[in-house]
Amino acid sequence: MKAGIISFSRRGFELGETLKEGLKRQGWQVEVYGKSRYMGEGSQAGQVKESVGQWTGENFSRMDALIYVGACGIAVRSIAPYIRHKTTDPAVVVVDERGRFSISLLSGHIGGGNDLAQTAAEIIGAQPVVTTATDLNGLFAVDVFAKKNGCHIADMKLAKEVSAQLLAGKQVGFYSDFPWKGELPRGLTVEGRPDLGIAVTIHCKERPFSNTLYLIPKALTVGIGCRKGTPSQAVEAAVESAADCLQIPMAAIERAASIDLKKDEAGIVESCRKWNVPFETFSAEELQALAGTYTPSPFVKSIAGVDNVCERSAVLASGNGKLILRKTVRDGVTVALAMRAWTPSF
């Protein structure tokens, strides 16, 4: 996680340095900038010569979080032209230069702004300021649950309706294909069939509620094999067809895998870039050594040195997960799906 901190005074700069050290201890990569003549002796901060708005534009997509040590007005004016959507905007936190308040300004839930404001407050001894309604009322926040459990929210409009229903004191249904850890939060129920409910599943065929908000775990690995020179369009069509067989949305796929002979296969590499998922490869020896029963192919064995590529690579890359779709073939592309062990928690 990357954070950019910008300050506007000597006191603010010193506070930014304190925040940097505290966040680094928690695994953050932090860059500190100063929009003032004072930078401090031996400082590693960058002097911002352009406007704060320009600095913001350069870092808004590059950083996971931006922290402004100064007035809220400066932050608001600076981020306004770049705000797009709560699912993509970075967390924005404002800390006053005396370190009294740590304010979650943008992307409090999905972007992690509320958590960052709390963390910053703990580092400098400030009062965290969080204004999201579900947090203020101690209610379940579906977007926070999705973020912490690595789920894709299928419908942001329904997610807002879930929050509105809970804030109105009404119950929201809850269904999960997976056993969960922790107690079901106040407002969620597994009894009956309320009109509005949440379904945690990789299958979007069933509708347990009239209005179902699907939370889709990103826990699937797709194993891919193909002939050399196969275009990305063929790879994408084969993978999408395989997912459709099980009514699984592409949002459930977190990575792709294959044999190392395919590490530079343009069609697979381009497809993974389009899906925004990492591509992992293994040697023939690693794949062949994997325990289990897989669909053998003498031809593949003669070419690649292993009797199956797609099934074995999917299972291996998923941490010896469960093979939920064995080899399918379309236009010379072989595809298999495996799911890693996954458990949601409250």
Side-chain angles (χ1 to χ4, degrees):
M1 298 286 283
K2 291 184 178 181
I5 302 175
I6 185 168
S7 60
F8 311 96
S9 66
R10 174 174 179 169
R11 188 189 296 271
F13 166 75
E14 293 172 347
L15 198 60
E17 288 285 278
T18 301
L19 284 168
K20 173 185 175 181
E21 294 307 312
L23 290 173
K24 284 177 63 178
R25 286 194 293 270
Q26 298 194 29
W28 284 79
Q29 298 178 43
V30 185
E31 298 176 13
V32 177
Y33 298 85
K35 181 61 177 173
S36 68
R37 294 181 179 179
Y38 177 82
M39 297 299 292
E41 295 182 6
S43 168
Q44 299 300 310
Q47 176 70 55
V48 177
K49 297 181 179 179
E50 68 271 29
S51 69
V52 182
Q54 288 175 309
W55 177 89
T56 299
E58 293 168 1
N59 290 280
F60 201 77
S61 298
R62 193 172 72 87
M63 297 291 185
D64 298 297
L66 299 177
I67 300 177
Y68 294 79
V69 184
C72 277
I74 296 175
V76 170
R77 285 192 296 271
S78 300
I79 66 176
Y82 309 106
I83 296 173
R84 294 293 178 265
H85 197 273
K86 66 184 337 182
T87 59
T88 57
D89 294 336
V92 176
V93 169
V94 177
V95 175
D96 68 281
E97 70 163 35
R98 294 187 66 86
R100 292 178 175 174
F101 300 100
S102 176
I103 306 163
S104 177
L105 192 65
L106 185 71
S107 291
H109 285 165
I110 296 178
N114 291 356
D115 287 341
L116 181 58
Q118 179 66 50
T119 298
E122 292 171 357
I123 293 171
I124 62 176
Q127 172 67 49
V129 179
V130 174
T131 58
T132 42
T134 49
D135 295 272
L136 290 173
N137 289 278
L139 295 173
F140 172 75
V142 66
D143 42 5
V144 172
F145 175 84
K147 177 181 173 63
K148 290 184 176 179
N149 286 282
C151 293
H152 169 74
I153 301 175
D155 188 329
M156 289 304 299
K157 182 179 179 181
L158 271 182
K160 292 180 180 179
E161 290 185 21
V162 165
S163 295
Q165 189 103 320
L166 292 171
L167 287 167
K170 299 179 181 179
Q171 289 193 322
V172 171
F174 185 78
Y175 167 85
S176 175
D177 280 335
F178 310 90
W180 60 85
K181 295 179 181 178
E183 295 183 8
L184 205 65
R186 175 167 59 94
L188 299 188
T189 179
V190 294
E191 304 295 333
R193 282 291 181 266
D195 180 63
L196 176 63
I198 298 166
V200 181
T201 178
I202 59 170
H203 303 287
C204 295
K205 183 179 180 180
E206 300 295 332
R207 297 186 67 86
F209 310 99
S210 299
N211 294 289
T212 301
L213 172 61
Y214 293 103
L215 299 186
I216 304 162
K218 296 185 72 67
L220 294 187
T221 296
V222 55
I224 306 172
C226 68
R227 292 189 294 265
K228 185 176 181 180
T230 299
S232 61
Q233 293 89 340
V235 174
E236 292 164 21
V239 172
E240 290 168 6
S241 176
D244 284 344
C245 288
L246 299 180
Q247 295 291 315
I248 294 174
M250 290 295 293
I253 295 176
E254 65 175 344
R255 64 171 53 86
S258 190
I259 192 169
D260 55 8
L261 294 174
K262 297 297 177 183
K263 65 180 180 180
D264 297 316
E265 188 67 48
I268 300 178
V269 173
E270 290 173 15
S271 297
C272 290
R273 188 178 297 117
K274 177 181 177 181
W275 299 325
N276 194 30
V277 299
F279 178 42
E280 188 173 359
T281 60
F282 304 95
S283 68
E285 292 75 19
E286 289 176 307
L287 293 175
Q288 192 63 51
L290 186 65
T293 302
Y294 304 96
T295 308
S297 169
F299 175 74
V300 172
K301 182 69 177 290
S302 68
I303 298 297
V306 59
D307 62 359
N308 182 290
V309 169
C310 64
E311 292 178 1
R312 289 179 178 273
S313 61
V315 171
L316 193 56
S318 64
N320 291 317
K322 180 181 179 181
L323 195 62
I324 63 171
L325 181 68
R326 290 192 173 273
K327 182 175 76 173
T328 64
V329 184
R330 174 171 171 157
D331 296 333
V333 180
T334 59
V335 176
L337 294 170
M339 183 164 187
R340 63 178 169 86
W342 183 83
T343 302
S345 62
F346 290 103

